[in-house]
Amino acid sequence: MFEGWLTIAVFLPIAAAVIIALFGRNPVMVKWFAAIVSLVELALTFVIFLLYDTSQGAAQYQLVDKATNWIPIESFNVQYFLGIDGLSAPLVLLTGLLGMVAIFASWSINMRVREYFVWLLALQGAVMGVFTSLDFFLFFLFWELELIPMFFLISIWGSGRREYSAMKFLIFTILGSAFMLVGILVLFFSTGTFDMTELPAAIGASKLLLPSVVVFAMLFVAFAVKLPIWPLHTWLPDAHTDAPTAASVMLAGVLLKMGAYGMLRVSAAMFPDVLRDASWLLATAGVVNILYGASVVLRQTDMKRLIAFSSISHMGFVVLGLSSAVGVAGQVSPLGLTGASLQMFTHGAITGLLFLLVGYVYERAHTRHIPDLGGLAVHMPVLSASLAVAGLASLGLPATAGFVSEIHVFLGTFPVWGWLTAIGAFGVVLTAGYILWMLQRVMLGPRNSRLDDLTDATPLEMVPVAALIIAIMVVGIFPSTIADVFSIGIAPIVDSLQNAVVSAQ
């Protein structure tokens, strides 16, 4: 069984990285080649998204690429197994979109250009592999592969304490991955399979070598670090602050979503009983993330650090939505999990746009310190208007993508966790406060004479900006384009959680 679409999507950026490494002598040609590849990859992921047939039902994995006995070791059945469902199809599209944005955001890179684009393209291929892998061992390989490009992108092309931030990112993620590897091996030696489509049933029918709650915790720690959940979050603000613009776009846009994806694909689908019992912990952790991130943002004066802490806050909505798994009166509503899924896509597009625009401002003003900026709307009206769109979407303005995901989370979790959801909703008020404060200080306010020579965005720079704004507005105005696909993807998870709730009664 081999469709080929997903294999091309995963390995096209990696193959392009190899070509650049071998033949990329001319920096200008390297940039244009990478840009063409990123546009082809975006078109390919869009086709994959359109090819996903929503009429085939929730249990159907599509566009499957499968080769059994991929690693020919006796009694170690590792398959090359790629496929998509409603949960992964939108994330494949998001990865293609942000991969293109990252390439165009890197046009001003002039140091070690060949090496830079090699790592950036390899990063995109690794993330694509995570979202399409249906063999747990292959999933882990791609999960680990993305560490190498991100480490070098931060440590070589970053700013400030870039070596410290890169190493901190590496240590935190490897620590989480160590727990994941042990959990994966326990599942394999207990069930005899790495097949993620078979594991949910196999886990229920097998006696695990360790208690299921222990295995759940091992896997969940890796996802919690990547998301990140407080107090495992401290690597994120440093990594964002010191990373180059393109790395920040990919980090906020898709790497954090790997953690959320793992929680849904693995924690919820494979351990519904444990997730049901731990739902109150997830609800508490989600609210803590929302309020802690939003409160700390209020003290930030660096624009990138402000957006980094806002990401911690917004990722709390994913965890809060996941906590609705416990249901109400024996019924599990899909709204909360659909909202958590939507938050992955909408936050990726919105935060990717915010980091992209901050990068453009920094290239011109050579500062991200908010008190040193002001009156940019006069000198950069297009960039300022784009920043306003991104900011308003981040605070959840209706008709933008941010509103769609958050309202799904609130509607899904309020019947389950009334007071906790109400407290978490206060995070929206805090978000409005710090976003509007940032916009007022940066775009309006007194003009800084030192910034009088600033220029607006070029047509080439506006290509990724326009692409992200279109995505944000389309999902905001026509949310069913993404929400319906996610709903199909989470339907089997909702069914397994429903069965867990019924069996507990």
Side-chain angles (χ1 to χ4, degrees):
M1 186 186 305
F2 207 84
E3 293 274 356
W5 289 100
L6 298 182
T7 296
I8 296 172
V10 171
F11 289 100
L12 176 61
I14 296 175
V18 173
I19 292 172
I20 291 174
L22 295 175
F23 306 108
R25 300 288 186 266
N26 187 317
V28 175
M29 294 301 295
V30 166
K31 292 179 181 180
W32 279 109
F33 177 73
I36 292 171
V37 169
S38 71
L39 290 171
V40 172
E41 179 79 351
L42 173 58
L44 178 61
T45 56
F46 189 70
V47 169
I48 289 172
F49 180 77
L50 293 178
L51 286 175
Y52 179 74
D53 187 357
T54 57
S55 66
Q56 290 192 24
Q60 182 75 34
Y61 286 94
Q62 301 177 27
L63 305 180
V64 172
D65 294 343
K66 188 173 185 179
T68 57
N69 297 321
W70 173 53
I71 298 180
I73 300 177
E74 188 176 354
S75 302
F76 197 68
N77 184 26
V78 178
Q79 305 176 85
Y80 176 80
F81 188 9
L82 304 181
I84 60 168
D85 64 352
L87 181 59
S88 53
L91 298 178
V92 167
L93 177 60
L94 178 66
T95 305
L97 175 61
L98 291 179
M100 180 275 293
V101 170
I103 294 295
F104 278 84
S106 306
W107 218 255
S108 61
I109 294 293
N110 294 313
M111 182 185 74
R112 299 166 68 171
V113 174
R114 176 173 61 176
E115 185 181 351
Y116 176 89
F117 283 95
V118 165
W119 292 127
L120 192 55
L121 288 166
L123 175 64
Q124 182 179 5
V127 175
M128 195 73 74
V130 170
F131 291 139
T132 57
S133 294
L134 293 177
D135 180 277
F136 218 158
F137 191 84
L138 184 63
F139 174 92
F140 181 77
L141 289 180
F142 281 120
W143 182 281
E144 291 295 278
L145 181 59
E146 60 83 15
L147 296 179
I148 302 170
M150 184 59 72
F151 174 80
F152 284 113
L153 286 169
I154 297 174
S155 62
I156 296 175
W157 292 274
S159 59
R161 300 188 302 169
R162 58 182 184 269
E163 294 89 355
Y164 167 82
S165 297
M167 187 59 69
K168 190 174 183 180
F169 159 76
L170 192 66
I171 291 172
F172 267 77
T173 309
I174 286 180
L175 179 62
S177 299
F179 284 99
M180 182 195 291
L181 180 58
V182 174
I184 292 173
L185 293 177
V186 169
L187 290 179
F188 173 75
F189 289 116
S190 301
T191 64
T193 183
F194 287 113
D195 191 328
M196 298 175 76
T197 65
E198 297 177 356
L199 273 171
I203 291 170
S206 305
K207 181 175 176 57
L208 301 185
L209 297 177
L210 294 175
S212 59
V213 66
V214 175
V215 182
F216 172 91
M218 287 179 174
L219 297 169
F220 193 83
V221 164
F223 306 141
V225 169
K226 187 72 79 176
L227 190 65
I229 293 179
W230 181 93
L232 304 174
H233 70 285
T234 58
W235 63 270
L236 181 64
D238 292 327
H240 267 315
T241 302
D242 297 330
T245 298
S248 289
V249 169
M250 293 297 288
L251 179 58
V254 289
L255 266 69
L256 303 189
K257 311 308 173 290
M258 289 164 52
Y261 176 75
M263 289 179 183
L264 288 163
R265 175 70 73 202
V266 177
S267 302
M270 297 183 188
F271 300 92
D273 294 338
V274 181
L275 187 71
R276 176 203 64 214
D277 295 337
S279 289
W280 68 274
L281 284 174
L282 294 179
T284 303
V287 172
V288 169
N289 252 50
I290 293 169
L291 297 183
Y292 168 80
S295 300
V296 176
V297 167
L298 298 173
R299 296 180 57 86
Q300 305 308 310
T301 56
D302 184 298
M303 291 181 71
K304 285 189 77 172
R305 206 165 181 86
L306 181 149
I307 301 170
F309 277 107
S310 78
S311 293
I312 295 172
S313 178
H314 281 90
M315 285 298 93
F317 289 110
V318 174
V319 184
L320 183 60
L322 190 61
S323 72
S324 66
V326 71
V328 180
Q331 292 295 319
V332 178
S333 169
L335 274 176
L337 270 69
T338 301
S341 305
L342 279 167
Q343 183 71 354
M344 291 192 285
F345 188 94
T346 60
H347 178 265
I350 293 167
T351 310
L353 178 58
L354 283 169
F355 276 115
L356 175 65
L357 294 170
V358 170
Y360 285 162
V361 171
Y362 181 70
E363 288 176 9
R364 289 161 169 77
H366 305 293
T367 182
R368 299 187 303 262
H369 191 54
I370 294 175
D372 293 341
L373 299 169
L376 294 188
V378 176
H379 309 292
M380 298 185 292
V382 176
L383 282 180
S384 297
S386 302
L387 185 62
V389 172
L392 294 175
S394 181
L395 63 83
L397 187 73
T400 65
F403 174 78
V404 172
S405 55
E406 290 177 7
I407 196 65
H408 272 79
V409 170
F410 292 144
L411 290 175
T413 57
F414 186 79
V416 185
W417 308 109
W419 282 108
L420 278 174
T421 304
I423 295 171
F426 185 69
V428 176
V429 178
L430 295 176
T431 302
Y434 66 70
I435 288 293
L436 295 175
W437 172 82
M438 184 268 290
L439 293 176
Q440 190 275 331
R441 296 286 297 277
V442 173
M443 295 168 50
L444 307 174
R447 291 174 55 183
N448 190 330
S449 59
R450 188 180 65 82
L451 306 177
D452 285 344
D453 296 332
L454 297 186
T455 58
D456 210 347
T458 65
L460 186 64
E461 289 174 328
M462 284 305 299
V463 170
V465 173
L468 289 174
I469 290 178
I470 290 172
I472 290 168
M473 299 309 299
V474 166
V475 175
I477 298 172
F478 304 104
S480 61
T481 54
I482 297 294
D484 288 352
V485 179
F486 274 130
S487 296
I488 292 173
I490 59 100
I493 301 175
V494 173
D495 289 342
S496 64
L497 291 168
Q498 180 65 55
N499 292 335
V501 170
V502 171
S503 64
Q505 291 180 337

